[in-house]
Amino acid sequence: MTSSPILKRLIKAATVVTVLLAVVLFGPDLNRATSLVDVQINQAHAQTGGNVPGNVQGRLSEAEIWRRIRQGNPGMVTIPDKQAGIMIQSKGEAWRLFRTETLGAFGVLMLFGAITFCLMFYLGRGRVRIEQGWSGRIIERFNDLERFAHWLVAVSFIILGLTGLNILYGRDVIMPLLGPEAFSTLTELGKLAHNYVGFAFMVGLALIFVLWVKNNFPNQHDLVWLAKFGGLFSKHSHPPAKKFNAGQKILFWLIILGGTSVSVTGVALIFPFQFEMFGPTFAVMNTLGLDLPTTLTAMEEMQLSQLWHSIMALVMIAVVIGHIYIGSLGMEGAFDAMGSGEVDENWAREHHSLWVEEQEKAGSSAQGDD
Ligand code: HEM
């Protein structure tokens, strides 16, 4: 079939018009795009001294440019924003896998480990009783401010723990029970609570630090207490302790240090891409002989904040499960300390004998002053 000369001329004219239209409509964009690629190529060219892989003189190969983009190298596009300036971050996939697989399994292990430990302790040891029985005399253990600070930390921690666990496991555990609609409402409210209650937790944390730091420095009695496991595993052993025993001191420092790092990383997650903490921290750690990366992208900082926040929170939740058990069901007479603020004298003598002596001395010298 031979095409007519008129048809040929028509196709030619249409092509010219299309090209003209394209230049008028997209010309500036095309120009910008090609010059942008040129800038990148020239920049990469300058960085490699004109060598492409294989050491051949010339422009950087396209494969190399795309590799750099995929590896999340900053400066591959001329967007000044640190985060938007990175086109692709393949490491995000490694982070996602770690979060869903490894972190998820670690959390399950911590939670079930803590619950199993408490259960076995209860079955093996039973409730830790006041060996001498209730004396009927009481002694003040924590004043109103101390109890307020404790319950502020405790209530906010429990809300944060439950809403946080829902963020990590809710989709797998709660959504099949409630359905997507109810789960979405619950999670939205939970996330709001998680963001705001965090600040109440920080206030409580600062308060308990100020109130109790003086009672939590280690002393020689702590070694004896630890060597005897606090007498918790044998019926007639009551190693001496001041206001707090070694176990309580460990809990205190874990809550203060762990709580602070969970708070700081939590704030970094609420205000994304504003903080650079891990790079500088790794630089300090490298002075101890480690070899950690110190130049991290804004996205890597966020991913590390999320991981550290979750790991520390899971460790704290596991330890606090043990604390809640021993402070309530696990030990007769203990809850009163944080309930009414007053404990039975025999309980105090069995668990904090040196503290009772201090109180008696302080009491008799105050009477002497009168
Ligand atoms: C329903 C939950 C809780 C109960 C029943 C409870 C109970 C208690 C009791 C009875 C004490 C005083 C122990 C003593 O007199 O020697 C105490 C102290 C303490 N609690 Fe809690 N607590 C709870 C939750 C929490 C939470 C969630 C945290 C922190 C996240 C926490 C942190 C502390 C700390 C740091 C102390 C001082 C050190 C110690 O006694 O172990 N508590 N708690």
Side-chain angles (χ1 to χ4, degrees), residues 141-142 150-151 153-154 157-158 208 212 244 248 251-252 255 320 323-324 327-328 334-335 337-338 347 352:
R141 178 129 174 92
F142 294 114
H150 174 268
W151 289 117
V153 169
F157 185 90
I158 291 168
I208 65 167
W212 291 339
F244 293 126
Q248 291 175 310
L251 176 81
F252 175 83
I255 298 297
V320 163
H323 167 73
I324 293 176
S328 55
F335 187 82
M338 277 303 163
W347 177 90
H352 299 276

Side-chain angles (χ1 to χ4, degrees), residues 9-322:
R9 245 177 270 150
L10 267 175
I11 291 172
K12 237 186 212 170
T15 312
V16 170
V17 171
T18 312
V19 169
L20 278 175
L21 259 176
V23 168
V24 172
L25 290 176
F26 306 116
D29 280 350
L30 285 175
N31 264 344
R32 207 176 315 135
T34 41
S35 66
L36 206 144
V37 170
D38 271 349
V39 167
Q40 295 311 327
I41 290 173
N42 289 338
Q43 220 175 26
H45 188 237
Q47 283 162 8
T48 57
N51 290 334
V52 295
N55 250 1
V56 180
Q57 196 72 14
R59 291 179 138 199
L60 202 71
S61 71
E62 271 197 26
E64 179 60 14
I65 292 172
W66 282 110
R67 187 172 303 118
R68 283 169 186 225
I69 289 174
R70 188 184 58 74
Q71 285 169 349
N73 284 310
M76 296 306 286
V77 282
T78 48
I79 299 174
D81 183 274
K82 264 194 244 163
Q83 173 48 22
I86 291 176
M87 292 171 76
I88 303 171
Q89 196 224 14
S90 324
K91 281 184 196 157
E93 180 59 6
W95 164 77
R96 194 190 63 79
L97 266 180
F98 186 88
R99 180 183 180 273
T100 48
E101 310 277 319
T102 316
L103 183 68
F106 172 73
V108 171
L109 199 78
M110 293 304 283
L111 297 180
F112 282 97
I115 294 168
T116 310
F117 182 81
C118 293
L119 205 68
M120 282 172 62
F121 184 70
Y122 180 72
L123 294 176
R125 171 72 164 88
R127 193 167 199 218
V128 180
R129 299 277 175 196
I130 305 177
E131 212 180 315
Q132 301 297 317
W134 297 86
S135 71
R137 292 181 302 276
I138 48 167
I139 170 168
E140 186 187 54
R141 178 129 174 92
F142 294 114
N143 64 30
D144 292 348
L145 183 61
E146 288 176 302
R147 279 178 293 135
F148 168 75
H150 174 268
W151 289 117
L152 183 60
V153 169
V155 172
S156 56
F157 185 90
I158 291 168
I159 295 173
L160 290 166
L162 292 176
T163 51
L165 288 176
N166 182 48
I167 295 169
L168 195 57
Y169 297 112
R171 191 195 283 248
D172 296 323
V173 180
I174 312 283
M175 195 163 82
L177 299 175
L178 298 186
E181 296 292 322
F183 172 70
S184 138
T185 312
L186 180 85
T187 305
E188 222 171 292
L189 292 174
K191 181 72 185 82
L192 262 182
H194 198 86
N195 285 1
Y196 287 104
V197 172
F199 293 96
F201 174 76
M202 291 178 218
V203 173
L205 199 66
L207 257 178
I208 65 167
F209 177 75
V210 172
L211 290 170
W212 291 339
V213 66
K214 62 180 183 300
N215 307 111
N216 278 287
F217 294 114
N219 60 37
Q220 76 275 22
H221 305 292
D222 295 332
L223 293 176
V224 180
W225 193 94
L226 285 172
K228 296 187 175 175
F229 294 107
L232 288 172
F233 295 93
S234 45
K235 291 228 159 151
H236 309 292
S237 161
H238 301 290
K242 293 194 172 195
K243 179 155 179 163
F244 293 126
N245 59 44
Q248 291 175 310
K249 288 177 187 176
I250 292 171
L251 176 81
F252 175 83
W253 287 112
L254 179 85
I255 298 297
I256 294 297
L257 299 176
T260 304
S261 85
V262 167
S263 304
V264 170
T265 45
V267 170
L269 291 172
I270 297 178
F271 303 104
F273 310 118
Q274 304 299 313
F275 300 91
E276 273 175 30
M277 296 181 297
F278 286 89
T281 310
F282 287 170
V284 174
M285 289 167 76
N286 284 350
T287 60
L288 303 171
L290 296 172
D291 186 25
L292 298 166
T294 51
T295 43
L296 299 170
T297 62
M299 185 56 99
E300 283 172 321
E301 286 277 348
M302 287 298 291
Q303 287 159 349
L304 286 170
S305 288
Q306 186 279 327
L307 291 182
W308 186 247
H309 186 80
S310 314
I311 292 170
M312 277 317 294
L314 288 167
V315 170
M316 284 167 68
I317 291 172
V319 174
V320 163
I321 288 175

